[in-house]
């Protein structure tokens, strides 16, 4: 038999047979098919992840969906076309050799040499490879890292679909108006609405109706009714964070609420799509203005005789309820003042429905005033609102009976810059308690201003007592008996120690009044008063007399350097610090492509809903210019309105690019 004859059959030591070669070729072909299928699955996973990411970024429109699908398909095709083992079986052969060490390079040698060497040699290689591959696992393409990356891309796309809001198709123009972003204006059979604003009864104004308004102006306390037609089943009405109840059946529904603060009314369907947007601008009823027209100045009399004619004028935009004249009678001296509150009758004359005049004549002889006593009076007017709200006070004026040979010490209102006198600590306490009583009827801003004015008064009281801490000697024998205190130091003087404690307590009260923490300041004011009274009771410490009023030289006025004098530059009230972060987040959302103005509008109004001018400006910008206008308005409020220069984490617009930090 020739030496290269292929022997069929035989035991395990046979040379080989044509059946081994055929079996190995079939096994390799099936393994290659499996390899390419798994490669295609991995590429498809990456393509799906890319398509999901593109959908989350571009939106859920038909065109955006088609573009996202095309991007995913291109990515999958590119990966499949460049993957190892797709066009050539050689990478598969190498992977099988690496996976099956028993092959000992037999499969690679058979694959590379079977067409160029003797059939006997290839048959032997095929037999060795068949024995090694019998029962071996099918090879799979890609490492664990490759499959981990593919699954990570898929998970990232799914997360983007869930987290990122699906927006409508990107607008073709840069200017997106509120009407364009509200589906109600473009849909067939869109939702319609009619608003009716009924002012409070005391305003005596007729209701105001409007059809499909984007903005509604209402007086605080007015009832706003919105009647809808073409109602979509499953829709809800939200006013700010509240969900309003609707009544009615079928396509007609009605929602109503009391206008307490500015906000945005949204109508959304079951898919959270905005069907209607109405900005409600609530204007608080302004307090009346009241002034004392005559004498409109502090008066000082040598004796409590004669009369004083007081003329009052009050005005309100809606109407007045009453005008009163109140007074506080101050008697005594030092820290032993007594106060008596009262009210004088006022003869009123109605000049018009919104303006009143009042008159009262004071007979000083019947007030029981003595030398050093005084009367502090002011006018109070109420508008037509029921209850304690709607009250306003005029400036306070003083009528003082001077002591013989002494000048007046000033009134108990805030001192003028050219006056120098000591305010009573007891009067500071009384004004603080009165401010606490008036707190429920005051706006927060007005309360802070009044508290800071009291802080100024407390600071002046403290300054006067610091000035008076030197002390005077009245009894030389008393002074000699306590001469050892000179050696021990002036602080050993118990009277001076009490006054030092009083000054310390005044400082604590001033700090809390400046922070508008009025209730916490009151105990410190009382402690300061107790320390002052204790100082008065000491045998050897005597207060200096108050300095007399200083007459200013009018010829020296306006003689200083006025080259740097200028008015405040801030024309826009800065946003509160608590809303600054929210404003920056809204600015980022507005500058994002394809922003839905209707979803951003409630947040912009909530930044400063108490400012009706801000709410009106936001609504107007949204209607006229859309996202571009809202971005401009918000930037104008953030940058020049800041009390300190703030570095923006966003690029500035062209209008702001030339400016730097403002000069303070």
């Amino acid at each position: 038999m020739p030496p290269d004859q292929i022997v069929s059959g035989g035991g395990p030591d046979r040379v080989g047979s044509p059946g081994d070669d055929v079996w190995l070729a079939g096994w390799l072909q099936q393994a290659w098919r499996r390899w390419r299928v798994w490669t295609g699955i991995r590429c498809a996973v990456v393509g799906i992840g890319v398509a999901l990411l593109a959908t989350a970024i571009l939106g859920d429109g038909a065109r955006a969906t088609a573009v996202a699908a095309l991007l995913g398909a291109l990515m999958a095709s590119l990966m499949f076309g460049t993957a190892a083992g797709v066009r050539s079986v050689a990478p598969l052969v190498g992977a099988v050799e690496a996976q099956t060490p028993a092959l000992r390079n037999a499969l690679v040698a058979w694959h590379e040499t079977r067409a160029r060497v003797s059939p006997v040699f290839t048959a032997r290689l095929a037999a060795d490879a068949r024995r090694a591959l019998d029962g071996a696992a099918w090879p799979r393409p890609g490492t664990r890292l490759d499959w981990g990356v593919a699954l990570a891309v898929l998970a990232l796309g799914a997360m983007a679909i869930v987290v990122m809001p699906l927006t409508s198709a990107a607008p073709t123009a840069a200017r997106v108006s509120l009407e364009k972003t509200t589906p109600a204006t473009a849909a067939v059979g869109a939702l319609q609405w009619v608003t009716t604003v009924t002012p409070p009864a005391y305003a005596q104004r007729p209701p105001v109706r409007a059809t499909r308004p984007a903005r509604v102006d209402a007086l605080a306390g007015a009832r706003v009714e919105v009647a809808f037609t073409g109602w979509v089943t499953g829709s809800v009405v939200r006013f700010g964070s509240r969900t309003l109840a609707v009544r009615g059946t079928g396509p007609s529904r009605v929602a109503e609420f009391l206008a307490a603060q500015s906000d945005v009314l949204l109508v959304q369907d079951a898919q959270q799509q905005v069907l209607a947007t109405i900005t409600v601008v609530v204007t608080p009823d302004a307090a009346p203005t009241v002034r004392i027209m005559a004498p409109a100045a502090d008066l000082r009399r040598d004796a409590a005789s004669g009369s004083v004619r007081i003329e009052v004028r009050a005005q309100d935009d809606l109407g007045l309820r009453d005008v009163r004249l109140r007074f506080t009678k101050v008697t005594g001296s030092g820290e032993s003042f007594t106060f008596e509150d009262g009210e004088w009758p006022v003869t009123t004359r109605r000049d018009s429905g919104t303006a009143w005049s009042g008159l009262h004549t004071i007979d000083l002889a019947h007030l029981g005033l003595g030398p050093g006593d005084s009367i502090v009076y002011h006018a109070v007017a109420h508008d037509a609102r029921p209850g304690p709200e709607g009250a306003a006070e005029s400036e306070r004026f003083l009528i003082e009976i001077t002591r013989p040979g002494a000048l007046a010490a000033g009134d108990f209102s805030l001192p003028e810059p050219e006056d120098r006198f000591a305010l009573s600590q007891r009067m500071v306490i009384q004004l603080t308690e009165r401010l606490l009583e008036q707190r429920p009827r005051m706006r927060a801003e007005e309360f802070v201003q009044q508290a800071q004015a009291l802080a100024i008064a407390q600071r002046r009281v403290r300054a006067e007592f610091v000035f008076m801490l030197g002390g005077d000697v009245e009894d030389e024998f008393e002074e000699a008996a306590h001469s050892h205190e000179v050696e021990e130091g002036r602080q050993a003087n118990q009277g001076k120690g009490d006054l030092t404690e009083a000054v310390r307590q005044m400082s604590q009260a001033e700090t809390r009044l400046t922070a508008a923490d009025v209730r916490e300041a009151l105990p410190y004011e009382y402690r300061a008063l107790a320390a002052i009274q204790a100082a008065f009771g000491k045998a050897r410490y005597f207060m200096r007399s108050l300095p007399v009023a200083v007459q200013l030289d009018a010829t020296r006025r306006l003689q200083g350097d006025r080259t740097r004098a200028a008015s405040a530059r801030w024309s826009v009230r800065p946003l509160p610090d608590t809303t600054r972060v929210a404003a920056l987040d809204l600015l980022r959302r507005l500058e994002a492509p394809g922003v839905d103005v209707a979803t951003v509008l409630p947040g912009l109004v909530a930044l400063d809903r108490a400012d009706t001018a801000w709410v009106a400006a936001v609504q107007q910008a949204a209607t006229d210019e859309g996202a571009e206008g809202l971005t401009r308005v918000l930037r104008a409020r953030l940058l020049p309105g800041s009390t300190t220069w703030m570095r923006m984490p966003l690029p500035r617009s062209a209008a702001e690019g030339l400016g730097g930090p403002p000069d303070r």
Side-chain angles (χ1 to χ4, degrees):
M1 181 173 60
D4 56 351
Q5 178 76 29
I6 299 177
V7 179
S8 301
D13 295 331
R14 71 183 189 280
V15 175
S17 68
D20 295 332
D21 192 82
V22 173
W23 180 90
L24 186 58
W27 184 94
L28 193 60
Q29 189 67 26
Q30 187 175 0
W32 194 24
R33 285 197 302 268
R34 288 175 173 269
W35 179 281
R36 286 185 292 183
V37 168
W38 281 107
T39 301
I41 292 175
R42 182 166 60 88
C43 295
V45 168
V46 176
I48 293 173
V50 171
L52 291 177
L53 282 173
T55 302
I57 296 174
L58 299 178
D60 58 352
R63 181 175 299 179
T65 303
V67 172
L70 179 61
L71 289 176
L74 288 176
M75 177 59 70
S77 300
L78 182 63
M79 287 187 61
F80 186 77
T82 58
V86 173
R87 297 185 178 182
S88 172
V89 76
L92 168 65
V93 174
V96 174
E97 285 282 356
Q99 179 179 311
T100 312
L103 284 171
R104 298 180 181 180
N105 210 35
L107 183 62
V108 174
W110 175 83
H111 173 68
E112 293 178 352
T113 62
R114 63 174 179 168
R116 301 193 302 270
V117 299
S118 169
V120 176
F121 182 70
T122 57
R124 179 62 183 268
L125 291 175
D128 293 342
R130 180 174 181 177
R131 284 195 300 269
L133 293 176
D134 190 15
W138 297 103
R140 291 187 179 181
T143 63
R144 292 184 178 180
L145 179 62
D146 296 334
W147 282 98
V149 171
L151 293 177
V153 173
L154 179 62
L156 183 62
M159 186 181 301
I161 288 293
V162 174
V163 175
M164 297 180 61
L166 295 177
T167 59
S168 57
T172 57
R175 180 173 297 178
V176 184
S177 68
L178 184 61
E179 288 82 2
K180 290 181 181 179
T181 59
T182 303
T185 59
V188 179
L191 182 68
Q192 305 292 323
W193 63 90
V194 176
T195 61
T196 303
V197 180
T198 305
Y202 72 85
Q204 298 182 356
R205 290 183 176 180
V208 178
R209 293 172 57 88
T211 302
R212 299 189 76 253
R215 167 182 169 179
V216 171
D217 293 282
L219 185 67
R223 180 170 295 277
V224 181
E225 181 181 275
V226 186
F228 298 98
T229 57
W231 183 262
V232 179
T233 303
S235 300
V236 294
V237 181
R238 291 188 174 89
F239 184 65
S241 59
R242 294 185 299 153
T243 300
L244 301 181
V246 294
R247 65 176 188 270
T249 58
S252 300
R253 302 295 174 92
V254 177
E256 62 180 9
F257 58 93
L258 287 177
Q261 59 184 7
S262 301
D263 219 317
V264 179
L265 186 145
L266 294 177
V267 181
Q268 295 176 304
D269 59 12
Q271 287 74 35
Q272 301 298 314
Q273 192 170 10
V274 179
L275 304 179
T277 304
I278 306 173
T279 303
V280 181
V281 182
V282 178
T283 304
D285 188 1
T289 57
V290 55
R291 297 181 58 191
I292 295 180
M293 309 302 296
D298 293 339
L299 301 179
R300 294 175 176 88
R301 298 290 181 90
D302 295 334
S305 60
S307 61
V308 178
R309 179 186 174 93
I310 301 178
E311 298 179 6
V312 181
R313 181 171 179 81
Q315 190 170 359
D316 187 71
D317 55 346
L318 297 177
L320 293 166
R321 188 176 63 190
D322 58 35
V323 176
R324 300 178 181 181
L325 195 60
R326 294 177 178 173
F327 68 90
T328 300
K329 179 181 176 182
V330 185
T331 59
S333 62
E335 289 302 319
S336 299
F337 282 115
T338 59
F339 303 93
E340 178 184 348
D341 294 331
E343 183 175 322
W344 291 317
V346 180
T347 303
T348 58
R349 183 182 71 251
R350 301 190 180 189
D351 302 329
S352 65
T354 58
W356 290 13
S357 298
L359 176 64
H360 177 73
T361 301
I362 304 174
D363 187 357
L364 296 179
H366 289 80
L367 293 179
L369 298 175
D373 296 342
S374 59
I375 287 285
V376 182
Y377 64 93
H378 66 281
V380 179
H382 287 82
D383 59 16
R385 277 179 285 181
E389 296 182 349
E393 297 182 355
S394 69
E395 184 179 0
R396 285 169 168 78
F397 293 101
L398 175 77
I399 302 175
E400 183 175 6
I401 310 302
T402 60
R403 292 187 178 89
L407 293 177
D411 59 12
F412 290 95
S413 58
L414 266 183
E416 297 296 332
E418 63 269 13
D419 291 336
R420 181 178 178 82
F421 52 85
L423 287 170
S424 166
Q425 179 66 18
R426 189 184 295 275
M427 191 63 181
V428 172
I429 292 174
Q430 186 186 37
L431 293 176
T432 303
E433 292 176 342
R434 186 175 300 173
L435 181 60
L436 287 174
E437 293 176 358
Q438 296 175 350
R439 176 65 182 93
R441 304 189 297 272
M442 300 175 65
R443 297 191 303 272
E445 297 176 358
E446 182 182 359
F447 179 76
V448 172
Q449 293 176 358
Q450 293 291 338
Q452 292 175 350
L454 280 177
I456 297 174
Q458 181 67 87
R459 187 181 308 125
R460 286 183 174 270
V461 174
R462 177 181 175 275
E464 292 295 341
F465 279 99
V466 170
F467 171 79
M468 292 184 287
L469 277 177
D472 289 327
V473 175
E474 184 174 284
D475 190 337
E476 295 181 359
F477 294 99
E478 182 81 6
E479 179 67 14
H482 296 274
S483 59
H484 63 279
E485 292 183 357
V486 177
E487 297 177 356
E488 296 174 359
R490 292 290 293 178
Q491 288 299 330
N493 185 320
Q494 188 61 41
K496 188 170 184 177
D498 290 332
L499 283 182
T500 303
E501 178 64 20
V503 170
R504 187 179 300 111
Q505 298 298 330
M506 291 179 192
S507 299
Q508 296 291 335
E510 176 193 340
T511 301
R512 284 154 179 79
L513 288 172
T514 303
D517 197 353
V518 179
R519 193 171 299 278
E520 290 293 330
L522 195 57
Y524 293 98
E525 295 176 3
Y526 272 108
R527 293 169 192 165
L529 178 59
I532 293 171
Q533 291 173 338
F536 284 160
K538 303 305 173 184
R540 61 177 304 277
Y541 192 86
F542 306 95
M543 299 293 295
R544 285 181 178 179
S545 58
L546 296 181
V548 298
V550 179
Q551 185 68 30
L552 295 181
D553 185 2
T555 61
R556 298 179 59 187
R557 297 187 62 190
L558 302 178
Q559 298 300 313
D561 183 12
R562 305 190 303 275
T563 57
R564 301 183 64 183
S567 301
R569 296 184 56 188
W570 306 127
S571 59
V572 180
R573 188 181 68 175
L575 285 172
D577 293 338
T578 54
T579 61
R580 197 74 57 83
V581 176
L584 291 174
D585 181 65
L586 289 172
L587 190 59
R588 294 187 186 93
R589 292 175 59 186
L590 285 171
E591 293 187 342
V595 61
D596 188 356
V597 176
T599 61
V600 182
L601 197 57
L604 290 171
V605 171
L607 291 177
D608 195 2
R609 66 176 78 255
D611 188 353
T612 56
W614 164 254
V615 178
V618 168
Q619 192 278 332
Q620 190 68 32
T623 302
D624 296 344
E625 304 176 66
E628 181 180 347
L630 290 176
T631 302
R632 174 181 54 79
V633 170
L634 185 54
R635 278 185 174 273
R637 188 70 186 273
L638 275 170
L639 291 178
S642 300
T643 54
T644 57
W645 177 253
M646 176 180 59
R647 293 189 176 276
M648 296 286 290
L650 298 170
R652 290 188 291 170
S653 64
E656 302 155 358
L658 300 178
D663 297 331
R664 301 300 296 172

